[in-house]
Amino acid sequence: QVQLVESGGGLVQAGGSLRLSCAASGSIFSIRIMGWYRQAPGKQRELVATITHGGSTNYADSVKGRFTISRDNAKNTVHLQMNSLKSEDTAVYYCNADGKTGWYSPDFHSWGQGTQVTVSS
């Protein structure tokens, strides 16, 4: 079983910055991809950014140029640096990780509990 714990959310004014962090723990053999998703009230959960073990990144168009995802493979952590925040970035942000708990084990797909990001205009 793999657990993800997020930190770093909070309240910030429009134009400000926040840095989210997520740490994975448990029976981890490898983590293929880590990412951040968000869900605003009344909306579906959407992808924000993902990063592979090799460092390839993917961003939602709405955050390109403002958000940066990074990871530390040795520590099983992923970070999301969010700059130039807008009111529409307000949401609960969830960490996600896909990987394996062993060489011959099935894949795991884990989610964190979420951290609230509120951007005031």
Side-chain angles (χ1 to χ4, degrees):
Q1 192 172 5
V2 177
Q3 298 81 37
L4 302 179
V5 177
E6 302 109 333
S7 61
L11 174 65
V12 64
Q13 288 188 333
S17 299
L18 280 175
R19 179 178 170 87
L20 305 182
S21 296
C22 173
S25 62
S27 301
I28 299 171
F29 175 71
S30 65
I31 302 179
R32 181 173 55 253
I33 190 166
M34 301 187 81
W36 291 95
Y37 293 72
R38 66 186 181 187
Q39 187 167 17
K43 294 187 177 181
Q44 290 188 330
R45 190 172 298 188
E46 63 177 4
L47 179 146
V48 176
T50 60
I51 184 167
T52 67
H53 187 274
S56 296
T57 58
N58 180 49
Y59 294 93
D61 287 343
S62 60
V63 306
K64 283 181 180 177
R66 299 188 298 123
F67 291 9
T68 302
I69 190 170
S70 60
R71 67 185 281 179
D72 185 329
N73 292 328
K75 297 181 178 179
N76 291 324
T77 57
V78 63
H79 308 282
L80 185 69
Q81 178 65 43
M82 306 185 293
N83 298 328
S84 303
L85 283 161
K86 306 175 181 179
S87 57
E88 50 262 45
D89 294 318
T90 295
V92 177
Y93 284 69
Y94 296 91
C95 177
N96 171 264
D98 291 349
K100 297 183 75 67
T101 58
W103 188 259
Y104 298 107
S105 301
D107 289 356
F108 69 82
H109 309 280
S110 295
W111 290 91
Q113 80 286 355
T115 185
Q116 177 70 45
V117 171
T118 303
V119 183
S120 62
S121 57

